[in-house]
Amino acid sequence: MLRPINILIGSNGVGKTNFISFFRLVNNIYEQRLQNYTMQNRAESLLHYGLKHTKEIRGFMQFSDNDYSFSLQPRDNGSMFLSEEKSNFQGGEYAISNEPESHIKDSSIIGYNRNLDSFRIYHFHDTSVGSPLRGDADVNDNRMLKTDGANLPAFLYLMQQQHPKTMKRIEMTIRSVMPYFERFDLQPLPFGDKINLTWNDVNAPDKYFSANDLSDGSIRFMALATLLMQPILPKVIIIDEPELGLHPVAITKLSGLIKSAAARGCQIIISTQSVNLISNFEAEDIITVDRQNGQSVFNRLDSKELEKWLNDYTLGDLWTKSIINGQPREL
């Protein structure tokens, strides 16, 4: 069972990314993009050890008032189709079989689909020159922050116009880890309907800087702060390795933002390799992931079992010292 905060730790290749990819798959099924998604990723790579070892993918999700399950089988062209899809809600049932795409999004019973539309998976890894996170955005593309941060300036501009207090808090948070940052200066470009990420430096308040003047860690932290401090949070936020490129001070601040978002009713799922990050959380927030007999095994830590250790060490220390699981397999 998932808690308000769920932080997955483990060595490379044990299944943390696969866990997050499962939610990405479900999202593509719900959004009726299964054919496109599986053509891009191919059934051979999605199936456990490929087509010779695995014939289908089965998934099951249980919510407080709903459950959802599906089975996927491969097609000759490398894509996959829904051999079965079911959802139960308050005694009602939705079911299909042998369909290329799901129809659950179109169901007239809202309980069938409201949970499947509740989570967003964010991945701010690409910060290279020309990446979506550093580029211009359509000024009206602001309904929600995109999963790769591509519309960050448009989303911030909307908050500047409609939620100025939240915008000020975001700027203060960014300034706490980036002392040279003064504030955003966001305006649509003179020609067309584009906007870019423009900001001021405290040492040069009359000079404007762009996203390309920011370090990788700085622009990632801006995106993370915006995501976790926005006025209306998604019900579930899933982030893969949010600590990349962040200074230890920024990681500590990120931990606080995660806790604050969870306190506002947003469920958080994170995959991380950061010792510093997990040291800021309770044992019950941490899920260790290990590879056993070719399968990923997930275990949630128990503070009572670790009580004698936690009197003297942080969770990060215990992970480093191999007191808790989530370690590379010894050869």
Side-chain angles (χ1 to χ4, degrees):
M1 180 179 292
L2 295 177
R3 289 166 48 91
I5 298 176
N6 308 272
I7 301 179
L8 278 64
I9 64 171
S11 60
N12 294 324
V14 295
K16 303 187 305 297
T17 299
N18 286 342
F19 183 81
I20 290 176
S21 294
F22 171 79
F23 289 94
R24 185 174 288 112
L25 173 62
V26 171
N27 182 256
N28 277 278
I29 292 173
Y30 174 76
E31 294 292 346
Q32 301 171 340
R33 297 172 183 153
L34 176 64
Q35 295 303 299
N36 182 59
Y37 180 77
T38 55
M39 281 296 291
Q40 288 181 348
N41 294 276
R42 313 298 290 178
E44 175 66 26
S45 62
L46 290 170
L47 290 164
H48 188 59
Y49 290 123
L51 290 161
K52 289 184 178 180
H53 294 84
T54 307
K55 301 303 180 185
E56 66 178 351
I57 295 174
R58 293 183 180 181
F60 178 80
M61 302 174 72
Q62 185 167 6
F63 310 95
S64 59
D65 56 2
N66 187 15
D67 65 67
Y68 173 73
S69 62
F70 65 87
S71 297
L72 303 181
Q73 293 183 4
R75 292 183 180 277
D76 292 338
N77 65 0
S79 68
M80 304 191 78
F81 70 97
L82 281 160
S83 57
E84 186 177 61
E85 182 183 44
K86 291 182 180 179
S87 181
N88 296 284
F89 178 71
Q90 295 183 351
E93 182 178 270
Y94 162 91
I96 65 167
S97 60
N98 298 320
E99 291 285 342
E101 298 287 355
S102 170
H103 302 294
I104 198 167
K105 185 176 182 179
D106 305 322
S107 171
S108 60
I109 302 179
I110 192 170
Y112 285 163
N113 56 42
R114 68 183 181 190
N115 290 309
L116 298 178
D117 192 34
S118 64
F119 55 84
R120 298 286 180 269
I121 306 159
Y122 292 88
H123 193 287
F124 300 137
H125 290 194
D126 187 2
T127 54
S128 61
V129 175
S131 66
L133 191 55
R134 293 187 186 272
D136 296 345
D138 292 331
V139 70
N140 294 316
D141 184 9
N142 53 25
R143 188 170 66 90
M144 64 180 65
L145 183 64
K146 289 189 172 179
T147 57
D148 60 358
N151 65 336
L152 179 60
F155 194 73
L156 283 167
Y157 182 63
L158 176 70
M159 279 196 282
Q160 179 179 285
Q161 302 300 307
Q162 297 188 6
H163 304 280
K165 291 183 179 179
T166 299
M167 185 67 165
K168 291 295 183 185
R169 287 195 291 270
I170 290 173
E171 289 176 330
M172 288 177 61
T173 300
I174 294 171
R175 198 178 304 123
S176 70
V177 300
M178 298 161 51
Y180 57 85
F181 173 84
E182 182 185 38
R183 61 181 174 83
F184 290 109
D185 194 295
L186 301 169
Q187 295 292 335
L189 297 175
F191 302 101
D193 55 358
K194 297 289 186 179
I195 187 169
N196 56 27
L197 194 68
T198 308
W199 56 280
N200 297 107
D201 189 305
V202 292
N203 296 312
D206 297 327
K207 182 175 174 59
Y208 301 103
F209 296 87
S210 72
N212 286 326
D213 296 308
L214 294 164
S215 69
D216 292 351
S218 294
I219 196 166
R220 285 195 191 107
F221 186 80
M222 285 181 174
L224 288 164
T226 302
L227 169 64
L228 295 167
M229 297 180 71
Q230 61 183 295
I232 302 174
L233 289 162
K235 291 183 180 178
V236 183
I237 288 177
I238 304 170
I239 315 174
D240 189 15
E241 296 187 339
E243 75 277 4
L244 288 180
L246 298 189
H247 186 277
V249 172
I251 290 177
T252 300
K253 182 65 67 170
L254 172 63
S255 303
L257 296 179
I258 292 169
K259 293 175 184 178
S260 178
R264 292 168 57 197
C266 177
Q267 192 172 44
I268 308 289
I269 302 171
I270 287 174
S271 168
T272 186
Q273 296 277 18
S274 173
V275 171
N276 290 338
L277 183 67
I278 70 168
S279 293
N280 290 282
F281 290 92
E282 302 296 325
E284 282 75 13
D285 297 328
I286 310 300
I287 299 172
T288 62
V289 188
D290 294 277
R291 193 82 163 175
Q292 297 178 10
N293 300 320
Q295 298 182 346
S296 298
V297 178
F298 298 79
N299 289 294
R300 190 177 294 279
L301 296 184
D302 187 330
S303 57
K304 292 182 179 180
E305 293 179 359
L306 298 171
E307 186 174 5
K308 68 176 183 178
W309 293 101
L310 292 173
N311 290 331
D312 300 309
Y313 299 100
T314 68
L315 285 171
D317 293 333
L318 299 186
W319 192 23
T320 303
K321 295 176 182 294
S322 299
I323 304 300
I324 59 178
N325 290 335
Q327 305 298 330
R329 181 180 178 182
E330 294 184 4
L331 298 177

